[in-house]
């Protein structure tokens, strides 16, 4: 239950303006990994960690990077490759054998809370939809949005492209 998105957002929402927050998202995996694309975790400047992005062995390193995101206000991506002898995940002896790609993004009112407040409200109403994030590359703007399922059907009927090649749908409820 502690990794369920609804639970994470309900824990985060009342505290969203009382600390700095970073959203960690697994956006791609290769080979066997503990968590798959779409897994999310929230980190606060007060040391709170909500959810998990691995089997528990990467979270302290991810939190170190999340603190950098809080300091700079810039999103970043991380890659942990458990087959690369020079990679931290190999050195920690992570047993999954795969590669996990993670994006860290600051969450604040200025970026619309990455639409996490909207997702929380939709989940409260038991409404489904799609959440997408722009994968940060070379200074790309942070972008995240939630699209209700009923709007997806209309966009598909109109043949409107939903996302471009720099974005990934990472979670659907």
């Amino acid at each position: 239950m502690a990794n369920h998105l609804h639970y994470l957002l309900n824990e985060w929402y009342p505290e969203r303006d009382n600390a700095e927050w970073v959203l960690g998202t697994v956006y791609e995996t290769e080979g066997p990994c503990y968590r798959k694309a779409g897994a999310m975790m929230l980190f606060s400047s007060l040391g709170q960690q909500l959810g998990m992005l691995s089997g528990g062995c990467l979270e302290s390193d991810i939190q170190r990077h999340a603190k950098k995101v809080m300091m700079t206000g810039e999103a970043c991506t991380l890659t942990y490759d458990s087959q690369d002898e020079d990679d931290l995940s190999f050195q920690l002896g992570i047993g999954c054998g795969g590669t996990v790609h993670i994006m860290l993004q600051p969450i604040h009112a200025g970026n619309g809370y990455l639409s996490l407040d909207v997702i929380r409200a939709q989940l409260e109403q038991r409404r489904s939809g799609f959440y997408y994030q722009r994968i940060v590359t070379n200074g790309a703007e942070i972008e995240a949005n939630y699209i209700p399922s009923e709007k997806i059907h209309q966009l598909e009927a109109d043949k409107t492209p939903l996302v471009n090649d720099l974005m990934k749908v990472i979670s659907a409820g």
Side-chain angles (χ1 to χ4, degrees), residues 131-153:
Y131 181 62
Y132 68 86
Q133 296 172 294
R134 178 181 300 275
I135 306 305
V136 177
T137 56
N138 299 328
E141 291 289 320
I142 294 174
E143 183 179 349
N145 204 350
Y146 172 82
I147 303 172
S149 291
E150 58 272 9
K151 186 164 184 171
I152 294 286
H153 300 299

Side-chain angles (χ1 to χ4, degrees), residues 42-119:
L42 298 164
F43 299 88
S44 84
S45 58
L46 301 176
Q48 288 177 282
Q49 294 183 15
L50 304 173
M52 295 189 75
L53 294 177
S54 76
C57 25
L58 298 177
E59 277 69 12
S60 62
D61 189 62
I62 297 168
Q63 183 174 29
R64 185 175 59 83
H65 288 281
K67 287 179 183 179
K68 288 180 189 175
V69 170
M70 289 174 204
M71 289 180 0
T72 66
E74 296 178 11
C76 72
T77 58
L78 308 170
T79 299
Y80 296 95
D81 183 350
S82 62
Q83 295 182 2
D84 180 354
E85 293 180 13
D86 294 328
D87 193 88
L88 174 69
S89 57
F90 182 87
Q91 295 169 16
L92 291 174
I94 295 171
C96 62
T99 301
V100 62
H101 302 272
I102 297 169
M103 182 169 56
L104 298 177
Q105 296 176 284
I107 308 168
H108 49 76
N111 64 14
Y113 299 107
L114 299 176
S115 297
L116 295 177
D117 54 338
V118 175
I119 294 170

